Amino acid sequence: MTGAARRVRAFGGQFLLLGVLALVAVLLVTGIPRVADRLVQQGLREYVAGRPVAERDLTRSAEEVPVEGGQGPVSAARGRELDAFEASMPPPVRAAVESRWYVAETAFGRLTGPDLAAKNLLVVSRLRVMPGVAEAATLVEGRWPTEATGPDRPVEVALAADTARKVNLRAGSRLRWAAGKGAAPLWLLVVGVFEPNRPADGIWDTLPLVQRVTEPAGDGQPYEMVAVTGDAGLDAVAAAGGPVRFSWRYRLGTAGMDVADVRAVIDGVRRLVRESPPGLRVTQAVDVPLQQFLDAVAAARTLLAVIAAGVIATLAGLIGLAARLAARRRETEFALLVARGGAPASGALRSLAESLLVVPPAAALGWLLGRLLPGSGGGADWLALATAVLATLALPLATLAVSVVPGGRRDLVTARPGGRRLTVELLVVALAVLAVVLLRRRGLTPGSVDPLLILVPVLLAVAAAVLAQRLYPWPLRLLSRVAARLRGSVTFLGAARASRSAATAPVIVVVVAIATAAFCAVVATGIEAGRDRTATLAVPASALVDGERLAPDTAAALRALPGVRRATPVVRDTALRISHPRGADAGLAAVTVLLVDGPGLAEAARDAGLAVSVPPQLRGDPAQGPAPALVSPALAADLARKGLDGSALVSVQGRDLLFRVAGTADGFPLVPSATDRFVVLPWQALPASDPTGPVPTAFLVSGDGFDVEALRQAGDEGQHRYQSGGTIVAGERPRGAEVTTWRGVRDSLGEGGANGLLVFGFAAGAGGGAALGLLAIAFAVLAGARARGQVLSRLRTLGLSRRQWRALLLVELTPLVAIALLTGAVTGALLPLLLTPVLGLTAFTGGTPVRVAFSPGLVGAVLVVGAVALALAMTVETLNNRRLRLGEVLRLGEES
């Protein structure tokens, strides 16, 4: 070992390089799973926290029935079930419960009293028991209801401040409450007024809301409100025969839920729904978003495995290149050992002893650094051990290969390749083709790692590099023939030496590295473009103001707001039936109908800077007869089968519209992506005899700098004008207008979930691939540095100037760098065409297919990397020649 230590010290630079590469390889193998797990756990927290409360809650509710109150406090007995039901949950679901609420409430009852009569208000109210309300709110007047009760005492209640203000009540107001038929009236006393501490807290989510009054839907309709009471109040209602209903609500969070538990949580909540006892109902919307999260994570992990395979393969190639370079630098030493009677494997054994002193400690350090990264993932320790063992054996194997290969020139690619090499190259190409065939037939199992299929990018990159190595000398030979007829020797000598270059292994490593980086860049660009298309399909303008029915003058109100340039009306209706022109039902499934102003839609999208293609049939002024319609392929086939493609009828808002199939499309803006049966009609196709036209259900708003809350208020006012105006007043209260912005939809697609893991994979793949590719180019330069130095030294003695020497070096290295970068970039750009259909990338784009297209930015990136690579190659060659001292290279070459 003493001699091995001296040799390690003598060749310190080579062993330092091997140690650093082994450290980085083990660090990546150990650290990538840990970082990935941390990012996935962080994504789960962000994803769950960002979901609407309706998608996080598990609710158990009882029917609204009269309850006999003679058997003790009803609400207290029901409150104990809050613990009982949680205890019956499956352990993963129980561990995921973040907070919980218990609600007991009555049916609506009519309120009367002097304070209400003073404002001539018609009010109905529920009485609700909410344990924990005193901690979630602050009294601004009076006190909380007490538990004291008696036959002559009124039921004490507390009101939210906004509720009390709107219905003219305060602490001290006395009210008479009548629950309905069969229930005795009760007297109520308002004893307190409160303000919620956090209005967004889950305790206030139960409908109807406690925090505010629900406005009347029209004339003669009452205000609806909720009054908070205590257990005694609920018992009094039950004793009077009033109906009471109970619900127990549990909000799930990530504090007790790990990514590995998500599947068990999904199965648990589904089992609770299936096994709910009679009279009790369990409702939940947790399983669908959690399943979507798992699908996205599975696709992201598969994609990360593909990227990591390319990076690890590049590192393995670099370790092999470093070992090969070190072995060739000591080729004379190993030959001398054999000449003095040593065994052919003596050099390999000596290299193994040296490698054991350097590589295992470096690998152990890489493992420790990887374990320091936040996250979990200890299951990769066996892979780290395997990486350390292979890195340790790299130098002995390279030494053995150098010892058994016969001498001769290694810089001639034009020599006829041996049978073994041809067999290996053909095997690589055949294996790549076979892997692609298997990939298209079998696909990738989400979340799993199929070694053969995951390595498809590496196999294709290696095959492409092998083919490029066989093809690129031919155009260089032609160039050298042309250069031979020109004046000067620099171009001729550089082209001749480049055509005879045989740096096969470095070129393969460069191609794999650049292909990995290009693959990441192209797929990332495709995902971003897919997210843009998804957002544009949902909101083909700056914003969408959506409601039930909005008065037509809402467009003018919206345009009057600051920052709004255009407001285009839209009618969207679902579950409509297709009929024969004479009115008989066609017997087809229900469809979604979209009535849109084609030119207005195009202008709104253009004002927002979005690319929306509006077909000509929706733009022009249609002729007399059925309106031209754009329909889905499935509906077009059904209409053709029924003979209705030339003329069919659909009723929109009570108006019968004749249409004909003028074109088909798989999707259209404002039509949900899951809808496969839709009809899009041009607004201008409406009958001219209808002066009022249909009532818009939404408006497309284009502009910038507008206030979203102002848009929502204008939409609410438009709905209110339609509901209360005219001769017909709607009997149902409309839902509030919703405002969805294009930027909000776009940002939601790129936030939370598996997006952090996706960004990490793309950044690591693109940056690591480019950096490792440049390092491989440096190895390619160093591999032939001694032979080039010998040639350049001889040419310098013949009068070659320093400037000509740099030009000759540039001419020689440019083809090698160019062919490696170009082959890697083209391979990486083509890989998504093969892998995208099976990678499940739609999980990152909201369901929109990812389209891989040519990106001019990739060309610019390749040119930049090429310039940096050439500069690096020139720098490495210059430093190496200075270290070797060109005056001594001739003598060293003769010795070798």
Side-chain angles (χ1 to χ4, degrees):
M1 280 297 180
T2 305
R6 287 199 303 268
R7 290 190 296 273
V8 168
R9 187 167 56 251
F11 299 97
Q14 299 173 8
F15 285 102
L16 176 63
L17 181 59
L18 269 176
V20 170
L21 290 175
L23 184 150
V24 173
V26 175
L27 173 62
L28 291 180
V29 169
T30 306
I32 285 179
R34 298 180 64 85
V35 174
D37 287 346
R38 180 180 64 83
L39 291 175
V40 171
Q41 188 65 37
Q42 179 181 347
L44 176 63
R45 289 196 300 269
E46 296 174 355
Y47 181 80
V48 173
R51 305 308 299 173
V53 293
E55 296 182 1
R56 298 175 54 193
D57 290 351
L58 182 66
T59 304
R60 190 188 198 198
S61 56
E63 298 176 359
E64 187 177 276
V65 294
V67 178
E68 305 221 353
Q71 299 178 354
V74 175
S75 60
R78 295 292 184 176
R80 286 193 292 270
E81 296 187 15
L82 189 68
D83 295 326
F85 181 57
E86 183 177 357
S88 68
M89 293 179 179
V93 180
R94 185 168 61 250
V97 174
E98 183 178 68
S99 53
R100 59 184 192 170
W101 302 273
Y102 152 63
V103 173
E105 62 183 7
T106 68
F108 278 112
R110 172 76 181 274
L111 284 179
T112 55
D115 293 330
L116 298 179
K119 295 290 186 177
N120 195 26
L121 299 176
L122 179 61
V123 181
V124 296
S125 174
R126 291 183 185 269
L127 303 185
R128 180 177 293 174
V129 175
M130 301 173 60
V133 68
E135 291 76 20
T138 301
L139 285 170
V140 296
E141 185 180 356
R143 59 177 175 80
W144 292 108
T146 64
E147 299 302 325
T149 184
D152 299 326
R153 292 179 62 89
V155 174
E156 297 182 352
V157 297
L159 301 177
D162 182 71
T163 298
R165 182 172 58 255
K166 287 189 175 180
V167 296
N168 196 38
L169 296 177
R170 61 189 181 279
S173 296
R174 293 181 64 89
L175 302 166
R176 189 172 183 271
W177 183 78
K181 296 180 180 180
L186 296 174
W187 287 99
L188 308 183
L189 175 63
V190 180
V191 296
V193 179
F194 61 87
E195 285 278 3
N197 295 334
R198 293 186 302 168
D201 199 339
I203 195 173
W204 310 111
D205 291 337
T206 306
L207 296 177
L209 297 176
V210 178
Q211 299 167 300
R212 59 178 181 268
V213 175
T214 303
E215 301 286 343
D219 295 338
Q221 299 294 318
Y223 287 90
E224 294 181 359
M225 56 173 275
V226 174
V228 177
T229 186
D231 291 344
L234 187 66
D235 290 333
V237 174
V244 179
R245 68 178 182 183
F246 303 88
S247 62
W248 302 265
R249 193 173 184 183
Y250 304 85
R251 177 153 299 168
L252 303 186
T254 58
M257 179 170 35
D258 192 78
V259 176
D261 302 327
V262 174
R263 172 56 59 191
V265 171
I266 294 174
D267 296 338
V269 295
R270 289 175 177 173
R271 194 181 78 186
L272 287 174
V273 173
R274 291 194 307 267
E275 299 176 356
S276 56
L280 295 174
R281 184 180 60 170
V282 177
T283 57
Q284 61 87 23
V286 177
D287 57 341
V288 174
L290 288 182
Q291 184 61 54
Q292 293 174 346
F293 172 79
L294 286 182
D295 294 340
V297 169
R301 280 179 167 160
T302 302
L303 186 60
L304 182 62
V306 173
I307 296 172
V311 175
I312 298 300
T314 304
L315 269 174
L318 289 176
I319 293 174
L321 290 178
R324 182 185 179 193
L325 182 61
R328 285 197 172 177
R329 289 286 174 87
R330 300 170 60 187
E331 186 175 3
T332 304
E333 173 189 341
F334 301 141
L336 185 58
L337 285 176
V338 175
R340 290 179 176 179
S346 58
L349 294 176
R350 173 177 289 200
S351 297
L352 178 61
E354 298 162 359
S355 183
L356 287 173
L357 293 177
V358 177
V359 177
L365 180 59
W367 180 79
L368 289 175
L369 293 177
R371 298 287 295 181
L372 291 177
L373 294 175
S376 60
D381 290 345
W382 67 269
L383 190 56
L385 179 60
T387 303
V389 171
L390 292 176
T392 303
L393 295 177
L395 182 58
L397 293 177
T399 302
L400 187 61
V402 168
S403 301
V404 300
V405 172
R409 296 183 61 180
R410 299 187 179 95
D411 62 340
L412 294 179
V413 78
T414 57
R416 180 182 296 274
R420 293 181 180 178
R421 180 170 177 178
L422 280 176
T423 301
V424 171
E425 292 179 353
L426 291 175
L427 179 61
V428 169
V429 174
L431 188 58
V433 174
L434 178 62
V436 172
V437 173
L438 291 176
L439 180 65
R440 302 308 296 265
R441 287 188 177 183
R442 293 170 49 193
L444 290 172
T445 303
S448 65
V449 179
D450 187 332
L452 176 61
L453 298 182
I454 290 296
L455 289 176
V456 163
V458 177
L459 291 173
L460 287 176
V462 173
V466 169
L467 293 176
Q469 282 281 318
R470 289 296 167 206
L471 294 178
Y472 95 95
W474 299 99
L476 287 178
R477 274 190 231 162
L478 180 61
L479 176 62
S480 63
R481 291 178 184 177
V482 174
R485 302 176 183 179
L486 301 176
R487 295 184 60 184
S489 60
V490 172
T491 305
F492 169 72
L493 291 175
R497 286 190 53 79
S499 65
R500 286 185 267 174
S501 176
T504 304
V507 169
I508 290 177
V509 177
V510 174
V511 170
V512 173
I514 300 302
T516 302
F519 170 77
C520 294
V522 172
V523 174
T525 303
I527 290 177
E528 292 297 314
R531 289 172 173 172
D532 290 344
R533 289 194 301 274
T534 300
T536 302
L537 288 174
V539 184
S542 302
L544 176 68
V545 182
D546 194 8
E548 292 184 1
R549 294 192 184 186
L550 298 93
D553 60 357
T554 306
L558 290 171
R559 286 193 294 268
L561 296 176
V564 176
R565 294 190 295 269
R566 182 183 297 273
T568 304
V570 172
V571 173
R572 182 169 51 183
D573 209 345
T574 58
L576 301 182
R577 306 292 299 183
I578 300 291
S579 304
H580 289 274
R582 296 183 179 180
D585 189 273
L588 301 178
V591 299
T592 296
V593 175
L594 182 67
L595 197 61
V596 64
D597 178 6
L601 172 61
E603 289 294 330
R606 185 162 46 249
D607 284 350
L610 305 177
V612 174
S613 176
V614 179
Q617 54 264 35
L618 300 180
R619 287 176 172 267
D621 296 328
Q624 296 295 327
L630 189 71
V631 303
S632 62
L635 180 59
D638 289 346
L639 291 173
R641 189 177 64 255
K642 293 282 188 176
L644 297 176
D645 51 340
S647 178
L649 184 143
V650 64
S651 180
V652 181
Q653 295 183 357
R655 296 171 172 83
D656 292 337
L657 301 179
L658 278 174
F659 69 91
R660 59 180 174 84
V661 177
T664 61
D666 294 327
F668 195 80
L670 297 176
V671 176
S673 58
T675 303
D676 61 349
R677 304 177 63 82
F678 62 84
V679 179
V680 183
L681 293 171
W683 194 288
Q684 58 270 29
L686 298 176
S689 59
D690 188 354
T692 59
V695 181
T697 62
F699 283 91
L700 291 173
V701 174
S702 59
D704 49 60
F706 48 77
D707 184 3
V708 174
E709 188 58 37
L711 294 180
R712 183 179 293 107
Q713 183 177 355
D716 284 336
E717 292 173 353
Q719 288 201 129
H720 182 72
R721 285 195 302 272
Y722 173 76
Q723 291 281 329
S724 59
T727 58
I728 299 177
V729 177
E732 293 185 359
R733 198 173 276 106
R735 62 179 173 87
E738 298 177 359
V739 178
T740 307
T741 63
W742 185 93
R743 177 50 55 186
V745 175
R746 179 62 180 81
D747 291 344
S748 67
L749 293 171
E751 294 177 352
N755 191 67
L757 182 60
L758 201 65
V759 171
F760 167 72
F762 286 146
L772 295 178
L774 293 176
L775 185 58
I777 289 175
F779 275 112
V781 173
L782 291 174
R786 180 161 298 223
R788 276 193 304 272
Q790 185 176 350
V791 172
L792 292 176
S793 180
R794 290 170 177 166
L795 292 175
R796 288 288 298 274
T797 62
L798 297 176
L800 187 73
S801 66
R802 188 177 297 274
R803 182 177 179 180
Q804 289 176 318
W805 164 65
R806 291 196 181 96
L808 175 60
L809 188 61
L810 186 63
V811 172
E812 180 181 348
L813 295 179
T814 298
L816 179 67
V817 173
I819 192 62
L821 294 180
L822 183 61
T823 303
V826 172
T827 304
L830 293 178
L831 280 174
L833 297 177
L834 300 173
L835 299 181
T836 297
V838 296
L839 284 178
L841 299 182
T842 55
F844 310 119
T845 61
T848 300
V850 175
R851 303 172 186 169
V852 178
F854 172 77
S855 175
L858 181 61
V859 178
V862 171
L863 293 177
V864 171
V865 173
V868 174
L870 283 176
L872 177 64
M874 295 288 292
T875 302
V876 170
E877 182 72 13
T878 301
L879 293 177
N880 186 71
N881 286 338
R882 287 180 180 175
R883 184 180 65 85
L884 290 177
R885 295 190 298 272
L886 284 177
E888 300 178 4
V889 172
L890 285 175
R891 180 174 55 82
L892 293 174
E894 291 170 357
E895 292 176 358
S896 62

